[in-house]
Amino acid sequence: VSLLNGEAHVYAPARDGEGKRIWIEGVGPGPHPESDVDAYIQKQIAFDPDLWVIEIEDQKGRTFIDERIEKNM
């Protein structure tokens, strides 16, 4: 999620202890410089070249994700 000011959040799918789908902040609680988020995404693409990346541009940082977002990393 680009905040359109040079900062962004990146979310990755995960499972909680009960097996329910959640999302975690990939770089840790943010926002972070977009260059850090881009580097994280490039590292993940190197691990999984079939990775899908969806960029949302929203100054308020809204994710539009329905599942829980775990911010404790």
Side-chain angles (χ1 to χ4, degrees):
V1 177
S2 172
L3 301 176
L4 301 172
N5 65 357
E7 295 185 316
H9 296 268
V10 62
Y11 300 95
R15 299 277 176 187
D16 68 10
E18 298 174 3
K20 294 180 184 176
R21 179 182 210 121
I22 62 170
W23 293 84
I24 59 170
E25 291 201 59
V27 183
H32 296 279
E34 283 195 36
S35 59
D36 292 353
V37 170
D38 290 342
Y40 172 83
I41 291 169
Q42 289 303 314
K43 183 178 177 182
Q44 296 305 309
I45 289 172
F47 177 73
D48 179 4
D50 192 35
L51 177 74
W52 286 45
V53 177
I54 298 170
E55 182 173 354
I56 298 169
E57 295 178 341
D58 187 86
Q59 290 177 328
K60 295 180 181 178
R62 294 173 291 189
T63 64
F64 306 100
I65 294 173
D66 291 335
E67 293 93 0
R68 185 177 93 224
I69 297 173
E70 181 64 49
K71 298 200 180 247
N72 300 343
M73 282 188 58

